[in-house]
Amino acid sequence: MRISARADYAVRAALQLAAAQDTGPLKAEAIAEVQGISHKFLEGILGDMRKGGLVQSQRGGNGGYWLARPAESISVADVIRCVEGPLVSVRGERPPDLAYTGPAESLLPLWIALRASVREVLGVSLAEVASAELPAGIAALADDPEAWTNP
């Protein structure tokens, strides 16, 4: 699986907003600076997140961006879907829309299992990631030394 720069930046911006949830709106410039993201690129991402209902914004001196819902109710998957579309696709199609025959027939359940695994891992809320309190199962996956090596 490949996480695009756009998805990475969107999640980082959402985490910045989650961390500032109780302090009021954040300017895109401030998020861009803290996260080392191009301001212009971030504005487009935040616009998509606004259209997707994940953030709200207000113009003006006291304006900026904030999460549209509590960080506990927004998952990393929600953010990625908002800016990139489905989490797992095969040739641009969702796995349930595929059909295989012969020895490739069992490939479909494999793609479905992959999608279920990705949903589980990326189902972590922004609040959990922002507070560094990952669920035990996710933390255990990351604690495995093999997870940090490339085959």
Side-chain angles (χ1 to χ4, degrees):
M1 179 175 182
R2 183 177 179 276
I3 304 295
S4 69
R6 183 174 183 77
D8 178 55
Y9 294 169
V11 172
R12 288 165 50 196
L15 290 169
Q16 200 69 46
L17 293 171
Q21 197 166 257
D22 298 328
T23 63
L26 289 180
K27 302 260 186 231
E29 297 88 6
I31 298 169
E33 184 176 326
V34 169
Q35 289 298 324
I37 301 170
S38 159
H39 175 252
K40 185 172 179 140
F41 193 40
L42 181 60
E43 283 284 358
I45 291 168
L46 289 169
D48 286 347
M49 291 171 66
R50 188 176 41 75
K51 289 175 195 163
L54 293 183
V55 301
Q56 294 180 328
S57 65
Q58 178 179 324
R59 295 182 189 261
N62 294 327
Y65 293 87
W66 63 93
L67 294 177
R69 311 190 305 262
E72 295 79 12
S73 70
I74 301 173
S75 70
V76 172
D78 293 333
V79 176
I80 294 173
R81 279 189 201 101
C82 186
V83 299
E84 291 286 347
L87 295 175
V88 174
S89 65
V90 179
R91 302 182 325 263
E93 296 183 51
R94 294 173 190 249
D97 297 335
L98 301 170
Y100 297 102
T101 59
E105 208 170 327
S106 63
L107 193 54
L108 182 57
L110 182 72
W111 296 150
I112 297 294
L114 172 65
R115 183 173 73 165
S117 296
V118 169
R119 283 179 175 172
E120 182 179 348
V121 171
L122 297 181
V124 174
S125 76
L126 295 178
E128 291 170 309
V129 178
S131 66
E133 294 179 13
L134 296 176
I138 305 299
L141 287 171
D143 285 343
D144 179 358
E146 291 295 314
W148 293 85
T149 61
N150 293 325

